[in-house]
Amino acid sequence: MDLVIEAFPAGEKTVAVYRALRAAIVDGRLPRGHRLPATRTLAIDLGVSRGSVATAYERLVAEGYLTSRVGSGTFVASVAASRPARAAAADPLRPRRGWAIEPAPASADTATPRYDFRTGIPDARLFPFDTWRRLVAAEMRPGANHPGVYAGPEGHPALRAAIARYLGYARSVRVSADDVVVTNGTQHALDLVARVLLRAGDVVAVEEPGYPPPRRLFEALGCRVVGVPVDEEGLVVTALPAGCRLVYATPSHQFPLGRAMSLARRRELLDWAARRPVAIVEDDYDSEFRFSARPLEPLFSLDEAGRVIYAGTFSKSMIPAVRTGFVLVPPGLRAAVAAARQLNDGYGSPPLQAALARFIDEGLLARHVRRAGRNYGRRHAEICAHLSAMPELEVLPASAGLHVTALLRRGHAAPVVAAAGKSGLAIEDLGRYATSQEGFVVGFGAIDPALIGEGMAIFAGLLARHA
């Protein structure tokens, strides 16, 4: 128990202990029912005599602040004085100009809806927790991973090598461990890259519609963010702004529309970038899960000019709680990005990263992705069938990921989404992703497969009444 005793004149030690204990009880630092230390223990901690503590205890018992139970100890009384109302503290500090930003709502902030069609949430029930727990426990030993020293900011060497090998056979991306910097996810990777590449006022291009967190990040850093339209082939290269310093794109599975960028459009984008002092950040966030065609080569593999920075995450292929991702950076940026990581949060968790390296190298990640992919494939097919049967909707083709997008042929999505929420059904309005198009983004990672048909039936009824 931390107890601060103000300086006291000689002979007033007992009064000082009494006042400190009484103040801690009254303001709630010592809650009702809390057991106090033995008088000898507290006396040693405070540097006073045991008699001073015992006398203070006796006085507080007499006044009703404490109760003493023979053989059990001394406790804060259940009828102790209530905490007084605190005067409003001074609050002179404010964020810098331009930082009018609050945290966006997180999926964990609200109760899980019965019919959960939210996006970006994998099914944790499919994850092999017992296997993962075994691997982590093996790395959480005194002799493992040098727990008494600080690790390098680039990430655990075994994990960097494992990621390089995994990308080679899973994504056709040829890199070495030196190219890999381990991060806490894609958003962390974007923050590191932006810190070493961008200045306030630089122009950044993002897809529109697109994923909001990167836009918020670039705006928070003082950049001028320009939305660039997306058509059937992907990001419209001819609409990219002049003087652009960075382009953020999701070519393998455009978020939220779901289309893959065509090979012709990929080459057009790379040709455009090769002639300019610009970087392209390729966010490959969930292309592990594909349900039909083979994936196109990533921009990173096609890039011959060294303009592409490739970011990935294990939040979808595993679970968000693993909180690990990576970024592939060209040689000229490696030292700067590693230094940015070191200044940002030091480094990640070596035991967790070592466990993930084993999870990859022992084939456990690939096995989990295959098993989860088959499950998601069935959900994808079922949801697409339901949505295609609704005459109000046009389902956009998507052969990967954990969501499907459907456009409204007429009417507005907002009243349908609101009515769905009252029916225990969570579905997303396409309009939240910076577009005037009316439609819905339907996730299928979190939904219980047994509830898909029931949830889609409810959605169809709401659509007919409110759209």
Side-chain angles (χ1 to χ4, degrees):
M1 180 177 69
D2 292 329
L3 197 66
V4 178
I5 298 181
E6 298 178 359
F8 46 80
E12 293 189 13
K13 294 180 180 180
T14 300
V15 173
V17 173
Y18 162 79
R19 288 175 177 170
L21 286 169
R22 182 181 181 279
I25 294 169
V26 169
D27 67 20
R29 284 178 288 138
L30 290 177
R32 298 174 184 183
H34 179 80
R35 181 177 179 176
L36 271 63
T39 54
R40 186 186 302 277
T41 301
L42 185 58
I44 293 172
D45 289 345
L46 298 179
V48 300
S49 69
R50 183 183 180 186
S52 294
V53 176
T55 302
Y57 277 17
E58 291 170 1
R59 181 174 175 183
L60 290 166
V61 168
E63 293 177 356
Y65 291 101
L66 300 178
T67 59
S68 181
R69 305 173 195 166
V70 178
S72 297
T74 304
F75 301 81
V76 177
S78 59
V79 294
S82 300
R83 181 186 307 184
R86 294 183 61 184
D91 187 18
L93 301 179
R94 292 291 183 274
R96 64 171 172 79
R97 186 177 180 181
W99 191 275
I101 301 173
E102 295 183 359
S107 55
D109 290 343
T110 57
T112 301
R114 176 172 174 79
Y115 308 102
D116 193 353
F117 294 105
R118 292 175 295 174
T119 62
I121 306 175
D123 193 341
R125 294 165 296 190
L126 300 176
F127 186 69
F129 282 100
D130 290 342
T131 299
W132 180 246
R133 186 163 48 246
R134 171 179 61 79
L135 294 175
V136 173
E139 302 297 339
M140 289 291 288
R141 293 176 289 106
N145 304 299
H146 307 289
V149 298
Y150 294 91
E154 301 92 341
H156 195 287
L159 178 57
R160 297 170 69 200
I163 289 172
R165 287 189 291 270
Y166 176 73
L167 291 175
Y169 66 77
R171 311 278 182 89
S172 298
V173 173
R174 294 185 178 182
V175 291
S176 70
D178 291 338
D179 298 306
V180 179
V181 174
V182 180
T183 68
N184 291 331
T186 300
Q187 193 72 4
H188 187 204
L190 293 175
D191 182 72
L192 298 179
V193 169
R195 287 178 186 275
V196 304
L197 276 181
L198 302 176
R199 298 190 183 98
D202 279 350
V203 177
V204 176
V206 300
E207 297 168 325
E208 193 167 287
Y211 187 49
R215 174 190 284 268
R216 286 166 55 90
L217 169 65
F218 299 135
E219 289 175 342
L221 294 174
C223 298
R224 184 165 68 87
V225 181
V226 178
V228 179
V230 176
D231 64 14
E232 291 78 6
E233 292 193 67
L235 185 76
V236 178
V237 176
T238 55
L240 286 166
C244 187
R245 185 74 177 99
L246 184 145
V247 178
Y248 169 81
T250 55
S252 294
H253 184 220
Q254 201 280 328
F255 190 92
L257 299 181
R259 302 184 180 105
M261 185 183 290
S262 70
L263 181 59
R265 188 64 60 82
R266 291 170 189 242
R267 294 194 181 280
E268 182 185 358
L269 177 58
L270 292 173
D271 289 344
W272 176 88
R275 301 189 300 270
R276 294 167 173 80
V278 64
I280 300 171
V281 176
E282 178 178 14
D283 183 357
D284 197 359
Y285 62 99
D286 69 353
S287 67
E288 291 94 346
F289 303 119
R290 301 199 67 84
F291 313 121
S292 58
R294 291 288 300 165
L296 294 170
E297 280 191 279
L299 286 173
F300 186 89
S301 297
L302 298 171
D303 177 31
E304 296 178 353
R307 295 295 183 184
V308 178
I309 300 168
Y310 183 95
T313 178
F314 295 99
S315 293
K316 308 295 186 298
S317 59
M318 295 174 68
I319 48 175
V322 171
R323 209 68 212 116
T324 305
F326 58 89
V327 60
L328 308 181
V329 292
L333 289 180
R334 287 176 189 166
V337 170
R341 172 77 200 263
Q342 194 169 54
L343 294 172
N344 179 275
D345 71 338
Y347 60 100
S349 166
L352 190 73
Q353 293 182 12
L356 180 52
R358 291 183 57 192
F359 193 73
I360 295 171
D361 284 341
E362 294 178 14
L364 300 170
L365 175 60
R367 183 188 306 171
H368 168 64
V369 168
R370 286 194 300 271
R371 175 173 173 263
R374 288 192 296 269
N375 193 298
Y376 293 141
R378 291 190 291 270
R379 301 184 200 186
H380 174 265
E382 183 177 356
I383 286 178
C384 284
H386 282 291
L387 295 175
S388 297
M390 300 177 195
E392 299 89 351
L393 300 179
E394 175 194 351
V395 182
L396 299 183
S399 60
L402 296 175
H403 74 270
V404 176
T405 297
L407 302 181
L408 263 174
R409 300 184 189 278
R410 59 183 179 278
H412 299 283
V416 181
V417 171
K422 297 176 182 178
S423 301
L425 190 151
I427 201 163
E428 295 186 2
D429 186 342
L430 178 60
R432 67 178 294 195
Y433 298 111
T435 178
S436 59
Q437 293 175 292
E438 293 287 343
F440 307 93
V441 187
V442 186
F444 51 83
I447 183 69
D448 183 338
L451 297 176
I452 290 177
E454 187 177 328
M456 286 285 99
I458 293 173
F459 177 61
L462 295 171
L463 193 60
R465 290 196 298 273
H466 296 281

